[in-house]
Amino acid sequence: MPLLGCIADDFTGATDLASTLVKNGMRTVQLIGVPADGDPVPDADAIVVALKSRTTPASSAVADSLAALAWLQRAGCRQFFFKYCSTFDSTERGNIGPVADALIAALGCGFALACPAFPTNRRTVYQGHLFVGSALLNESGMENHPLTPMKDANLVRVLSRQTDGTVGLVPFETVAQGADAIRRAMTALKEQGRRYAIVDAITDTHLRAIGQGAASHALITGGSGIAIGLPENFRAAGLLPTLADPGALPGVAGHAAVLAGSCSRATLGQIATARGQIPMLELDPLATPDAAQLAAQARAWLDGKLGAAPVLIAASAPPDKVAALQDRLGREQAGTLVEHALADIAEAMVARGVRRLVVAGGETSGAVVTRLGVRSLRIGAEIDPGVPWTFAEGSGPAMLLALKSGNFGAPDFFLKSFTMLEGSR
Ligand code: ADP
């Protein structure tokens, strides 16, 4: 039975958390959206339900999170984790406070810690203030975020505005003393009637101590950083065996391909690195602003190209070309047109036997996963930080998928992805 049940407020954040859990020894499966009642419980130590609840109305974020919690409870999970962004992305009305309030009420636990710190990515919390590198959150650029502008770095104040409960602080001085001191401080805050404790953390050592201090908590809330301390609690309790390879994936035979819809600088660099090394079709949505025609070009090109070596199809373009298409069609329409074409192409690739697919781009990945009917991703080894191979299952054939957020990955990401799989063909 699974031990840890996680609810993540967005898709890439869910994968980040799942990958962190695998690296710390838990076999982890990510489910896409609230699972249906009859969906089978994956054979895993941790389950991460990926929602899209960061910027939806609070009422629907709460409803989806509670439905996910109920499913995870029925699956047998013993502890629950609400994952949000390490920059505490939220608005005055939520959704971190309303969702955490609802989860606390449903679990009857009365209290939860809140710690978005992620030192590896330079997100730290000191005296309740969130820093991004050396800048306070509200001077980090996040104050201008289009959907969740963060204009206050004091998380005690930020969370207080989102809940009718009260928020305390476990300060650095206490955290530095280790797990027992943190546990006592959290218990004292709960006994004083606080519903939340923002917990300071500057290093991974702090995160591990906080995790240890929260071993008995029903609910933990935070970024993926705080999850590094949780697997050890289950090992210490004799519930989690030490596995040689918690990210082992079933082997899948089939053709290999890359599909790129990200126009981020890193992706453009990765495409440039692959140029000349593997067969590549670069679509031109500006010349052919029609999803069906773009997909037809790709299908015609694919025939005869697929084999043991990977191929690459990209719609990606530099900023001036993207802007030109957006000027012509409108920003949203341009994005939707290309996503539609790429989803068609993904479907055509799978129909032609592709079973190892790298997708570049967050929105692009969402469109592809939806079109392929993928419902669950077993998380494997990381190709580059934040991007693991996954074993995908759903209404279509099982396959290996790597879903890359645009700016992630080294220049040789595309070729490296497939080299990593060699031997498991
Ligand atoms: P990232 O993770 O880099 O943000 P996304 O896939 O989330 O990548 O977003 C990229 C967006 O750009 C998608 O909506 C995609 O359809 C769109 N797009 C891709 N190629 C082009 C292009 N040539 N012109 C305009 N838009 C494009």
Side-chain angles (χ1 to χ4, degrees), residues 260-265 267 283-286 314-318 321-323 325-326 331-332 334-340 342 360-365 404-407:
S262 158
C263 302
S264 300
R265 195 176 299 169
T267 302
L283 298 168
D284 187 349
L286 196 56
S316 314
K321 282 194 136 189
V322 173
L325 189 67
Q326 289 178 342
R331 179 183 295 267
E332 212 179 299
T336 312
L337 181 148
V338 178
E339 284 164 34
H340 192 141
L342 294 176
E363 293 300 322
T364 307
S365 293
K404 189 187 84 71
S405 180
N407 263 323

Short mmCIF file of all heavy atoms in Angstrom, two decimals, residues 260-265 267 283-286 314-318 321-323 325-326 331-332 334-340 342 360-365 404-407, ligand 1:
data_model
loop_
_atom_site.label_atom_id
_atom_site.label_comp_id
_atom_site.label_asym_id
_atom_site.label_seq_id
_atom_site.Cartn_x
_atom_site.Cartn_y
_atom_site.Cartn_z
N ALA A 260 8.91 19.09 -30.17
CA ALA A 260 9.20 20.34 -29.46
C ALA A 260 8.20 21.44 -29.84
O ALA A 260 8.01 21.75 -31.01
CB ALA A 260 10.62 20.81 -29.76
N GLY A 261 7.59 22.02 -28.81
CA GLY A 261 6.68 23.15 -29.02
C GLY A 261 7.08 24.33 -28.15
O GLY A 261 6.43 25.36 -28.15
N SER A 262 8.16 24.14 -27.40
CA SER A 262 8.65 25.23 -26.56
C SER A 262 9.51 26.16 -27.39
O SER A 262 10.31 25.71 -28.21
CB SER A 262 9.50 24.64 -25.43
OG SER A 262 10.37 25.63 -24.92
N CYS A 263 9.34 27.47 -27.16
CA CYS A 263 10.17 28.45 -27.87
C CYS A 263 11.15 29.10 -26.89
O CYS A 263 11.70 30.16 -27.17
CB CYS A 263 9.29 29.48 -28.53
SG CYS A 263 8.10 28.75 -29.68
N SER A 264 11.32 28.45 -25.74
CA SER A 264 12.25 28.98 -24.73
C SER A 264 13.68 28.85 -25.22
O SER A 264 14.00 27.99 -26.04
CB SER A 264 12.12 28.20 -23.43
OG SER A 264 10.81 28.31 -22.94
N ARG A 265 14.54 29.71 -24.67
CA ARG A 265 15.93 29.76 -25.12
C ARG A 265 16.61 28.38 -24.98
O ARG A 265 17.30 27.94 -25.90
CB ARG A 265 16.68 30.80 -24.30
CG ARG A 265 17.99 31.17 -24.92
CD ARG A 265 18.67 32.27 -24.14
NE ARG A 265 17.88 33.50 -24.11
CZ ARG A 265 18.16 34.54 -23.32
NH1 ARG A 265 19.18 34.48 -22.50
NH2 ARG A 265 17.42 35.62 -23.35
N THR A 267 15.34 25.39 -25.06
CA THR A 267 14.85 24.44 -26.07
C THR A 267 15.43 24.78 -27.44
O THR A 267 15.84 23.87 -28.19
CB THR A 267 13.31 24.43 -26.12
OG1 THR A 267 12.82 24.10 -24.82
CG2 THR A 267 12.79 23.42 -27.12
N LEU A 283 8.85 22.62 -38.53
CA LEU A 283 7.60 23.13 -39.08
C LEU A 283 7.64 24.65 -39.09
O LEU A 283 8.31 25.26 -38.26
CB LEU A 283 6.42 22.65 -38.23
CG LEU A 283 6.22 21.13 -38.17
CD1 LEU A 283 5.23 20.77 -37.07
CD2 LEU A 283 5.75 20.58 -39.52
N ASP A 284 6.89 25.24 -39.99
CA ASP A 284 6.84 26.70 -40.05
C ASP A 284 5.37 27.16 -39.95
O ASP A 284 4.71 27.35 -40.98
CB ASP A 284 7.49 27.20 -41.35
CG ASP A 284 7.60 28.72 -41.38
OD1 ASP A 284 6.99 29.37 -40.49
OD2 ASP A 284 8.26 29.24 -42.28
N PRO A 285 4.90 27.33 -38.74
CA PRO A 285 3.48 27.70 -38.56
C PRO A 285 3.15 29.06 -39.17
O PRO A 285 1.99 29.32 -39.48
CB PRO A 285 3.29 27.74 -37.04
CG PRO A 285 4.46 27.03 -36.45
CD PRO A 285 5.58 27.16 -37.44
N LEU A 286 4.17 29.90 -39.40
CA LEU A 286 3.93 31.20 -40.00
C LEU A 286 3.59 31.03 -41.48
O LEU A 286 2.68 31.67 -42.02
CB LEU A 286 5.17 32.07 -39.82
CG LEU A 286 5.03 33.57 -40.03
CD1 LEU A 286 3.96 34.17 -39.14
CD2 LEU A 286 6.37 34.25 -39.77
N ALA A 314 9.86 19.81 -34.70
CA ALA A 314 9.75 21.01 -33.87
C ALA A 314 8.89 22.07 -34.56
O ALA A 314 8.99 22.26 -35.77
CB ALA A 314 11.14 21.57 -33.59
N ALA A 315 8.08 22.74 -33.73
CA ALA A 315 7.38 23.95 -34.20
C ALA A 315 8.08 25.17 -33.65
O ALA A 315 7.78 26.30 -34.03
CB ALA A 315 5.94 23.92 -33.76
N SER A 316 9.02 24.93 -32.76
CA SER A 316 9.70 26.00 -32.03
C SER A 316 10.30 27.03 -32.98
O SER A 316 10.82 26.68 -34.03
CB SER A 316 10.83 25.40 -31.18
OG SER A 316 10.36 24.25 -30.51
N ALA A 317 10.23 28.28 -32.56
CA ALA A 317 10.76 29.36 -33.39
C ALA A 317 11.31 30.45 -32.49
O ALA A 317 10.91 30.56 -31.34
CB ALA A 317 9.64 29.91 -34.28
N PRO A 318 12.23 31.27 -33.04
CA PRO A 318 12.76 32.39 -32.24
C PRO A 318 11.69 33.46 -32.01
O PRO A 318 10.67 33.49 -32.71
CB PRO A 318 13.92 32.92 -33.10
CG PRO A 318 13.65 32.42 -34.48
CD PRO A 318 12.84 31.18 -34.36
N LYS A 321 9.71 35.33 -34.88
CA LYS A 321 8.73 34.53 -35.64
C LYS A 321 7.49 34.23 -34.80
O LYS A 321 6.37 34.22 -35.31
CB LYS A 321 9.37 33.22 -36.09
CG LYS A 321 10.28 33.38 -37.30
CD LYS A 321 10.60 32.03 -37.88
CE LYS A 321 10.49 32.03 -39.39
NZ LYS A 321 10.60 30.69 -39.97
N VAL A 322 7.71 33.98 -33.50
CA VAL A 322 6.58 33.74 -32.61
C VAL A 322 5.70 34.99 -32.58
O VAL A 322 4.46 34.92 -32.72
CB VAL A 322 7.07 33.38 -31.18
CG1 VAL A 322 5.89 33.31 -30.21
CG2 VAL A 322 7.83 32.06 -31.19
N ALA A 323 6.35 36.14 -32.44
CA ALA A 323 5.60 37.40 -32.38
C ALA A 323 4.82 37.63 -33.68
O ALA A 323 3.68 38.10 -33.66
CB ALA A 323 6.55 38.56 -32.11
N LEU A 325 3.56 35.38 -35.73
CA LEU A 325 2.36 34.52 -35.77
C LEU A 325 1.31 35.06 -34.80
O LEU A 325 0.11 35.08 -35.11
CB LEU A 325 2.73 33.07 -35.43
CG LEU A 325 1.60 32.06 -35.66
CD1 LEU A 325 1.27 31.92 -37.14
CD2 LEU A 325 1.94 30.69 -35.06
N GLN A 326 1.79 35.51 -33.64
CA GLN A 326 0.85 36.04 -32.64
C GLN A 326 0.17 37.31 -33.14
O GLN A 326 -1.02 37.51 -32.93
CB GLN A 326 1.58 36.32 -31.32
CG GLN A 326 1.98 35.03 -30.60
CD GLN A 326 2.75 35.28 -29.32
OE1 GLN A 326 3.27 36.38 -29.12
NE2 GLN A 326 2.83 34.27 -28.47
N ARG A 331 -2.47 36.02 -29.61
CA ARG A 331 -1.56 35.21 -28.81
C ARG A 331 -2.13 33.82 -28.51
O ARG A 331 -1.48 32.79 -28.73
CB ARG A 331 -1.29 35.95 -27.49
CG ARG A 331 -0.37 35.22 -26.53
CD ARG A 331 -0.24 36.02 -25.26
NE ARG A 331 0.43 37.30 -25.53
CZ ARG A 331 1.74 37.48 -25.40
NH1 ARG A 331 2.51 36.49 -24.99
NH2 ARG A 331 2.28 38.64 -25.64
N GLU A 332 -3.38 33.80 -28.05
CA GLU A 332 -3.95 32.52 -27.62
C GLU A 332 -4.18 31.59 -28.80
O GLU A 332 -3.85 30.40 -28.76
CB GLU A 332 -5.26 32.78 -26.87
CG GLU A 332 -5.49 31.75 -25.78
CD GLU A 332 -6.78 32.03 -25.04
OE1 GLU A 332 -6.87 33.12 -24.44
OE2 GLU A 332 -7.67 31.17 -25.08
N ALA A 334 -2.64 31.54 -31.64
CA ALA A 334 -1.37 31.03 -32.17
C ALA A 334 -0.91 29.82 -31.35
O ALA A 334 -0.53 28.78 -31.90
CB ALA A 334 -0.31 32.13 -32.13
N GLY A 335 -0.97 29.96 -30.02
CA GLY A 335 -0.56 28.86 -29.14
C GLY A 335 -1.42 27.63 -29.35
O GLY A 335 -0.92 26.51 -29.50
N THR A 336 -2.73 27.85 -29.43
CA THR A 336 -3.66 26.72 -29.58
C THR A 336 -3.45 26.01 -30.90
O THR A 336 -3.48 24.78 -30.96
CB THR A 336 -5.12 27.22 -29.49
OG1 THR A 336 -5.20 28.08 -28.35
CG2 THR A 336 -6.11 26.10 -29.34
N LEU A 337 -3.21 26.80 -31.96
CA LEU A 337 -3.01 26.19 -33.29
C LEU A 337 -1.81 25.23 -33.26
O LEU A 337 -1.90 24.09 -33.69
CB LEU A 337 -2.78 27.29 -34.33
CG LEU A 337 -2.57 26.88 -35.78
CD1 LEU A 337 -3.13 27.95 -36.68
CD2 LEU A 337 -1.12 26.61 -36.15
N VAL A 338 -0.70 25.71 -32.70
CA VAL A 338 0.51 24.89 -32.70
C VAL A 338 0.33 23.69 -31.75
O VAL A 338 0.73 22.57 -32.08
CB VAL A 338 1.75 25.74 -32.33
CG1 VAL A 338 2.98 24.86 -32.28
CG2 VAL A 338 1.95 26.86 -33.34
N GLU A 339 -0.28 23.92 -30.60
CA GLU A 339 -0.50 22.80 -29.66
C GLU A 339 -1.37 21.74 -30.32
O GLU A 339 -1.12 20.53 -30.16
CB GLU A 339 -1.18 23.31 -28.38
CG GLU A 339 -0.21 24.04 -27.45
CD GLU A 339 -0.90 24.86 -26.39
OE1 GLU A 339 -1.98 24.45 -25.91
OE2 GLU A 339 -0.38 25.93 -26.04
N HIS A 340 -2.39 22.17 -31.04
CA HIS A 340 -3.28 21.24 -31.73
C HIS A 340 -2.50 20.40 -32.75
O HIS A 340 -2.62 19.18 -32.81
CB HIS A 340 -4.39 22.04 -32.41
CG HIS A 340 -5.53 21.21 -32.89
ND1 HIS A 340 -6.83 21.60 -32.80
CD2 HIS A 340 -5.55 19.98 -33.47
CE1 HIS A 340 -7.60 20.65 -33.31
NE2 HIS A 340 -6.84 19.65 -33.72
N LEU A 342 0.70 19.78 -32.78
CA LEU A 342 1.67 18.89 -32.13
C LEU A 342 0.96 17.70 -31.47
O LEU A 342 1.49 16.58 -31.45
CB LEU A 342 2.51 19.68 -31.11
CG LEU A 342 3.44 20.73 -31.74
CD1 LEU A 342 4.17 21.53 -30.67
CD2 LEU A 342 4.45 20.10 -32.70
N ALA A 360 9.02 18.71 -25.51
CA ALA A 360 9.58 19.94 -24.94
C ALA A 360 8.52 21.02 -24.90
O ALA A 360 7.92 21.36 -25.92
CB ALA A 360 10.78 20.41 -25.77
N GLY A 361 8.30 21.55 -23.68
CA GLY A 361 7.31 22.62 -23.48
C GLY A 361 6.24 22.21 -22.49
O GLY A 361 5.72 21.09 -22.58
N GLY A 362 5.95 23.09 -21.56
CA GLY A 362 4.96 22.79 -20.53
C GLY A 362 3.56 22.66 -21.10
O GLY A 362 2.89 21.63 -20.94
N GLU A 363 3.11 23.69 -21.81
CA GLU A 363 1.76 23.64 -22.41
C GLU A 363 1.71 22.55 -23.47
O GLU A 363 0.72 21.84 -23.61
CB GLU A 363 1.39 24.99 -23.04
CG GLU A 363 1.21 26.12 -22.05
CD GLU A 363 0.11 25.85 -21.04
OE1 GLU A 363 -0.93 25.26 -21.43
OE2 GLU A 363 0.29 26.21 -19.87
N THR A 364 2.80 22.43 -24.22
CA THR A 364 2.86 21.40 -25.26
C THR A 364 2.70 20.02 -24.63
O THR A 364 1.95 19.17 -25.13
CB THR A 364 4.21 21.50 -26.01
OG1 THR A 364 4.37 22.85 -26.46
CG2 THR A 364 4.28 20.55 -27.18
N SER A 365 3.39 19.79 -23.51
CA SER A 365 3.28 18.50 -22.82
C SER A 365 1.85 18.24 -22.38
O SER A 365 1.35 17.11 -22.51
CB SER A 365 4.19 18.47 -21.58
OG SER A 365 5.54 18.51 -21.97
N LYS A 404 9.45 17.82 -20.77
CA LYS A 404 10.44 18.82 -20.38
C LYS A 404 9.84 20.22 -20.38
O LYS A 404 9.34 20.69 -21.38
CB LYS A 404 11.61 18.79 -21.37
CG LYS A 404 12.79 19.62 -20.95
CD LYS A 404 13.84 19.68 -22.07
CE LYS A 404 13.52 20.74 -23.08
NZ LYS A 404 13.69 22.13 -22.62
N SER A 405 9.90 20.86 -19.24
CA SER A 405 9.50 22.25 -19.16
C SER A 405 10.50 23.04 -20.01
O SER A 405 11.69 22.74 -20.01
CB SER A 405 9.55 22.64 -17.69
OG SER A 405 9.18 23.94 -17.51
N GLY A 406 10.02 24.06 -20.75
CA GLY A 406 10.83 24.71 -21.78
C GLY A 406 12.26 25.02 -21.42
O GLY A 406 13.19 24.67 -22.15
N ASN A 407 12.46 25.65 -20.27
CA ASN A 407 13.81 26.14 -19.95
C ASN A 407 14.71 25.12 -19.30
O ASN A 407 15.84 25.43 -18.95
CB ASN A 407 13.71 27.40 -19.09
CG ASN A 407 13.84 28.63 -19.98
OD1 ASN A 407 14.59 28.61 -20.94
ND2 ASN A 407 13.08 29.66 -19.68
P1 ADP B 1 7.56 26.49 -22.44
O1 ADP B 1 7.60 25.38 -21.43
O2 ADP B 1 8.87 26.79 -23.04
O3 ADP B 1 6.82 27.71 -21.91
P2 ADP B 1 5.11 25.77 -23.77
O4 ADP B 1 4.83 24.55 -24.56
O5 ADP B 1 4.50 25.87 -22.40
O6 ADP B 1 6.69 25.93 -23.67
O7 ADP B 1 4.65 27.07 -24.54
C1 ADP B 1 5.07 27.36 -25.85
C2 ADP B 1 3.86 27.89 -26.62
O8 ADP B 1 4.32 28.40 -27.86
C3 ADP B 1 2.85 26.80 -26.94
O9 ADP B 1 1.54 27.31 -26.79
C4 ADP B 1 3.16 26.50 -28.41
O10 ADP B 1 2.02 25.99 -29.08
C5 ADP B 1 3.53 27.85 -28.91
N1 ADP B 1 4.37 27.80 -30.12
C6 ADP B 1 5.22 26.83 -30.53
N2 ADP B 1 5.81 27.13 -31.69
C7 ADP B 1 5.32 28.33 -32.06
C8 ADP B 1 5.54 29.18 -33.18
N3 ADP B 1 6.40 28.85 -34.15
N4 ADP B 1 4.88 30.36 -33.23
C9 ADP B 1 4.03 30.71 -32.24
N5 ADP B 1 3.77 29.95 -31.17
C10 ADP B 1 4.41 28.78 -31.06
#
